[in-house]
């Protein structure tokens, strides 16, 4: 039945009811795992099939969830989808880990809890370190040097704008990338132009319309991130300077407007998951960006992290360790910024989140650091150490 449904999908879309039936908790085990097949490699066929169906289900709901215009029927469908994701999180977490990027492409930024469910998944064989340990050394965890499995296809995002891939192939390579340290390089202006929908026009009725291609931003972030992680590994082996890794993220963030900056930071936060080298790298990126001189950027980073923490659990492990480091380490002077106390309601919100994210200690700037690396140079060095398997004394 699922194969027949997909066979006709090229000619006409699979009906919503068919997609819902296939992605129900009843059919999921039959598609994801074939009990008659003992070859685990063959299970990937079922996972890719189920991935297509679940993406179709999420894409169907996107316009309703994006505008929060839910009828009784779409509300029931949304609640049912959350239940399916909970089943997958409990019984098939590897499936959510492997396809998390394509799922995030079809989930609106307004659906924070749904996105958290997917990003909270971690392999069943892994035991997550307690993020609330006061002396947790994230860069020394053995899992941090492992690369996550990502089976999400890049083709859907690039099909709309293949010129972005050409641009990245041209500039995101050695030694050309060293030139991107210059924030005035024309690469940034060209990239931002390509991230905007070609048919974008401001709404005439004054309603909000996103001008950015969010899946394309997600592809840009993960593509640059992968290259930077591999480059840091190579630089570490050679013992040479690691300049030119974090700078590209800093320069892009400064060139984007408020809307683009928000989506760009959200895309980075989508990789704060279970312990792996992607989680560590992008956590370091956010901490480096927070050290910028621009208060607007600090506030934007705080907004993105806080939005994901004020919803009901689960919360991704990488999200917790990043926010805890931000509020505990006096280097970042988090509690000294005016946006943390601009209104009594905001101040109480920050205090409540701080209490829930930290052990029973003082939630102030006087709290001791967790001990992980902090400066721009040390963050890169620690990532290189963990990525290459070395350990600091």
């Amino acid at each position: 039945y699922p194969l027949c449904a997909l066979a006709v999908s090229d000619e006409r879309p699979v009906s919503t009811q068919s997609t819902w039936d296939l992605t129900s908790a009843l059919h999921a085990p039959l598609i994801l795992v074939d009990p008659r097949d003992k070859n685990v490699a063959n299970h990937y066929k079922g996972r890719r099939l189920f991935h297509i169906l679940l993406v179709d289900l999420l894409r169907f709901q996107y316009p309703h969830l994006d505008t929060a215009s839910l009828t009784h029927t779409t509300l029931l469908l949304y609640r049912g989808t959350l239940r399916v994701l909970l089943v997958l999180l409990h019984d098939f977490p590897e499936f959510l880990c492997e396809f998390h990027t394509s799922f995030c492409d079809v989930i609106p930024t307004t659906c924070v809890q749904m996105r958290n469910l997917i990003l909270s998944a971690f392999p069943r064989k892994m035991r997550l370190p307690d993020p609330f340990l006061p002396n947790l050394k994230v860069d020394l965890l053995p899992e941090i040097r492992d690369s996550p499995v990502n089976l999400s296809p890049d083709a859907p995002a690039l099909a709309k704008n293949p010129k972005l891939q050409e641009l990245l192939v041209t500039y995101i390579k050695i030694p050309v990338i060293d030139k991107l340290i210059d924030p005035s390089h024309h690469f940034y202006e060209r990239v931002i132009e390509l991230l905007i929908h070609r048919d974008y026009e401001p709404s005439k009725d004054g309603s909000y319309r996103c001008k950015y291609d969010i899946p394309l931003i997600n592809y840009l972030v993960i593509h640059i991130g992968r290259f930077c992680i591999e480059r840091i590994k190579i630089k570490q082996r050679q013992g040479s300077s690691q300049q030119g890794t974090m700078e590209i993220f800093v320069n892009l963030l400064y060139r984007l407007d408020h809307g683009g900056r928000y989506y760009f930071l959200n895309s980075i936060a989508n990789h704060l998951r279970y312990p792996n080298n992607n989680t560590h790298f992008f956590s370091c990126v956010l901490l480096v960006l927070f050290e910028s001189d621009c208060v607007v950027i600090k506030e934007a980073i705080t907004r993105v992290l806080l939005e994901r923490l004020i919803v009901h659990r689960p919360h991704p492990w990488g999200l917790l360790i990043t926010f805890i480091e931000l509020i505990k380490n006096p280097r970042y002077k988090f509690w000294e910024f005016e946006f943390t106390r601009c209104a009594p309601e905001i101040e109480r919100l920050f205090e409540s989140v701080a209490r829930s994210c930290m052990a029973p200690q003082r939630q102030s700037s006087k709290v001791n650091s967790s001990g992980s690396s902090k400066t721009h140079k040390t963050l890169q060095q620690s990532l290189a150490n963990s990525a290459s398997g070395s350990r600091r004394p």
Side-chain angles (χ1 to χ4, degrees):
Y1 177 59
L3 291 175
C4 293
L6 284 178
V8 300
S9 64
D10 292 336
E11 300 178 3
R12 54 187 174 88
V14 181
S15 68
T16 307
Q17 182 61 43
S18 299
T19 304
W20 174 249
D21 288 342
L22 294 174
T23 54
S24 66
L26 178 64
H27 291 89
L30 301 178
I31 302 176
L32 292 173
V33 177
D34 184 355
R36 298 167 299 178
D37 192 347
K38 296 183 179 180
N39 187 354
V40 179
N42 292 336
H43 294 172
Y44 283 104
K45 298 178 182 178
R47 291 184 182 184
R48 291 184 183 277
L49 170 64
F50 196 80
H51 158 257
I52 296 173
L53 298 171
L54 188 54
V55 166
D56 284 343
L57 177 63
L58 294 171
R59 185 180 289 115
F60 171 80
Q61 299 178 74
Y62 191 101
H64 305 281
L65 297 175
D66 190 36
T67 58
S69 55
L70 297 179
T71 64
H72 178 68
T73 304
T74 52
L75 181 59
L76 288 177
L77 187 61
Y78 169 72
R79 290 174 177 171
T81 305
L82 286 180
R83 293 178 181 178
V84 170
L85 291 176
L86 280 171
V87 171
L88 294 173
L89 180 64
H90 183 269
D91 294 339
F92 304 97
E94 290 86 358
F95 170 73
L96 296 179
C97 294
E98 293 161 354
F99 293 100
H100 83 282
T101 54
S102 55
F103 292 147
C104 289
D105 285 346
V106 291
I107 295 179
T109 54
T110 53
C111 298
V112 181
Q113 187 180 23
M114 178 182 284
R115 189 171 57 237
N116 274 358
L117 279 174
I118 293 173
L119 300 181
S120 296
F122 61 93
R124 281 172 289 186
K125 295 182 180 180
M126 177 180 292
R127 184 173 181 179
L128 290 182
D130 186 356
F132 306 110
L133 290 177
N135 296 315
L136 179 64
K137 308 284 188 180
V138 175
D139 48 348
L140 298 183
L141 295 174
E143 301 90 351
I144 286 296
R145 61 175 175 263
D146 297 332
S147 298
V149 177
N150 187 2
L151 301 180
S152 297
D154 296 329
L158 294 176
K160 298 179 181 179
N161 202 329
K163 293 182 180 180
L164 179 65
Q165 186 179 29
E166 297 175 6
L167 190 68
L168 294 178
V169 169
T170 302
Y171 288 100
I172 308 301
K173 62 181 180 181
I174 299 174
V176 183
I177 195 173
D178 293 329
K179 300 177 181 179
L180 300 185
I181 298 175
D182 181 8
S184 62
H185 197 282
H186 65 274
F187 166 82
Y188 299 106
E189 181 179 357
R190 181 58 179 152
V191 163
I192 294 173
E193 289 176 357
L194 294 175
L195 294 179
I196 298 175
H197 288 292
R198 282 176 283 185
D199 59 346
Y200 170 76
E201 291 182 2
S203 178
K204 296 181 180 179
D205 59 0
S207 60
Y208 176 75
R209 183 185 177 193
C210 179
K211 69 177 182 180
Y212 287 98
D213 188 330
I214 298 178
L216 213 56
I217 292 178
N218 293 339
Y219 171 77
L220 172 69
V221 168
I222 188 61
H223 182 88
I224 297 175
R226 288 171 181 165
F227 177 85
C228 290
I229 290 173
E230 292 302 317
R231 188 170 191 260
I232 289 175
K233 292 179 182 179
I234 296 173
K235 291 286 186 179
Q236 173 64 17
R237 296 191 197 104
Q238 296 174 348
S240 55
S241 171
Q242 298 168 23
Q243 194 177 25
T245 51
M246 299 290 184
E247 285 84 354
I248 189 170
F249 289 97
V250 176
N251 294 338
L252 269 172
L253 201 63
Y254 269 97
R255 297 293 293 270
L256 288 165
D257 60 17
H258 290 291
R261 190 178 296 135
Y262 173 73
Y263 296 122
F264 187 75
L265 291 172
N266 255 306
S267 182
I268 292 176
N270 286 343
H271 299 282
L272 303 180
R273 302 187 295 148
Y274 62 91
N276 58 65
N277 60 8
N278 277 22
T279 295
H280 189 209
F281 175 78
F282 285 108
S283 177
C284 292
V285 169
L286 286 179
L287 293 175
V288 168
L289 293 174
F290 195 85
E291 288 188 287
S292 68
D293 297 330
C294 181
V295 179
V296 175
I297 290 180
K298 299 177 188 289
E299 188 172 357
I301 293 173
T302 304
R303 174 193 173 186
V304 168
L305 297 179
L306 197 65
E307 281 180 346
R308 298 169 181 240
L309 289 169
I310 60 177
V311 298
H312 292 297
R313 291 179 293 178
H315 299 121
W317 180 87
L319 176 69
L320 288 172
I321 61 111
T322 303
F323 190 73
I324 291 172
E325 176 67 17
L326 200 59
I327 63 178
K328 286 180 66 176
N329 191 335
R331 175 182 182 84
Y332 302 110
K333 302 177 182 179
F334 181 83
W335 301 107
E336 297 181 12
F337 295 106
E338 188 176 352
F339 61 78
T340 64
R341 55 184 186 280
C342 58
E345 297 82 3
I346 298 296
E347 190 171 5
R348 286 195 294 269
L349 177 63
F350 275 109
E351 291 174 354
S352 174
V353 174
R355 283 194 298 270
S356 64
C357 288
M358 297 170 61
Q361 300 174 357
R362 289 185 61 193
Q363 281 80 40
S364 68
S365 60
K366 296 181 180 180
V367 180
N368 291 331
S369 167
S370 65
S372 59
S373 50
K374 309 303 180 297
T375 63
H376 185 159
K377 181 177 179 180
T378 312
L379 280 170
Q380 295 179 333
Q381 184 66 35
S382 66
L383 177 62
N385 289 341
S386 59
S388 62
S390 62
R391 300 175 68 92
R392 296 191 308 174

